[in-house]
Amino acid sequence: MESSKLLIALFVFQVFFPCHMSIQAAAENSDLFREYIRAEFNNVKFTDVPIDSNVEFHFILSFAIDYDSTSGSPSPTNRNPSQVSSIKSTHSNVKVALSIGGDSVGDSYAYFDPSSVDSWVSNTVSSLTNIIQEYHMDGIDIDYEHFNADPDTFAECIGKLVKTLKDNGVISFASIAPFDDDDVQSHYKALWQSYVYAYDQGTTVSQFISYFNTQSSNYNGGKVLASFISDGSGGLTPENSFFTACSRLKSENKLHEIFVWSADDSKRNGFRYEKQSQALLAISH
């Protein structure tokens, strides 16, 4: 994913298909903090990131690429199982998810390009089960950005994937994090489970609140996560009143979680805003 794409993501615990599966209703303020790590391959470590014991903390490890591709077997970006086990044993409030998809492989886009629904689901379930169990992970994050398949096929593949992994006890949660592009939105909206809104640099607090409320209304039944890009390249930044907006949402019992892209960029400033985000979330509701 390009770092210029700012996200507000919906996170759901029960996902996606078939229709008898329920969507977790949007709750009041909660204490979930989520952050991508190793998205830019700059050797940031789990132990570099400050973790507040009073929040639920999810690392999202980037990226495993499509399992029907010819690009070879995916891997969780130079991690080993002991690193995941260590951070989880040191911090009982930490969970780790694997993000699948991403923007590119080498110099080429990473396409969602299944030969068939059944073969894609079978291959992906097998590959992810092996990786998740070997690396002691807890969930997955869906981040496909380019498609050689129609929205219905994408929805069926991802829906069956998540349902199978959950039914098999392989994962306890899943999320998706697309950005505001017509083609991307057409595919992710078909899932009717997690939603995202990207907005421009220079966004004001009032605009941020308006975007947040609009997306909450559009996608009733899910949780909208307030988010920022830590390199300041878009949206309402921490330097320009992001936390003012979050405090207002919290006062209205609308601040469900905070989501950050990414630890790789935040390392440069000593994870200042990760600390501030978690401190805000940890305040009693």
Side-chain angles (χ1 to χ4, degrees), residues 188-202:
Y188 282 92
K189 282 184 178 180
L191 295 171
W192 193 249
Q193 203 68 54
S194 299
Y195 309 88
V196 174
Y197 197 89
Y199 51 100
D200 296 330
Q201 190 168 16

Side-chain angles (χ1 to χ4, degrees), residues 112-177:
F112 177 79
D113 188 18
S115 57
S116 72
V117 171
D118 288 343
S119 67
W120 187 91
V121 171
S122 177
N123 291 339
T124 309
V125 166
S126 176
S127 297
L128 281 181
T129 297
N130 290 337
I131 293 172
I132 290 168
Q133 291 180 341
E134 178 183 358
Y135 283 80
H136 315 293
M137 295 184 188
D138 306 282
I140 60 170
D141 174 73
I142 309 298
D143 187 38
Y144 285 101
E145 303 184 16
H146 309 283
F147 306 91
N148 284 331
D150 62 81
D152 289 340
T153 299
F154 178 71
E156 187 174 1
C157 284
I158 300 303
K160 287 184 174 181
L161 167 67
V162 176
K163 182 179 187 304
T164 302
L165 291 175
K166 286 182 64 68
D167 286 350
N168 291 348
V170 177
I171 61 172
S172 58
F173 64 88
S175 62
I176 67 174

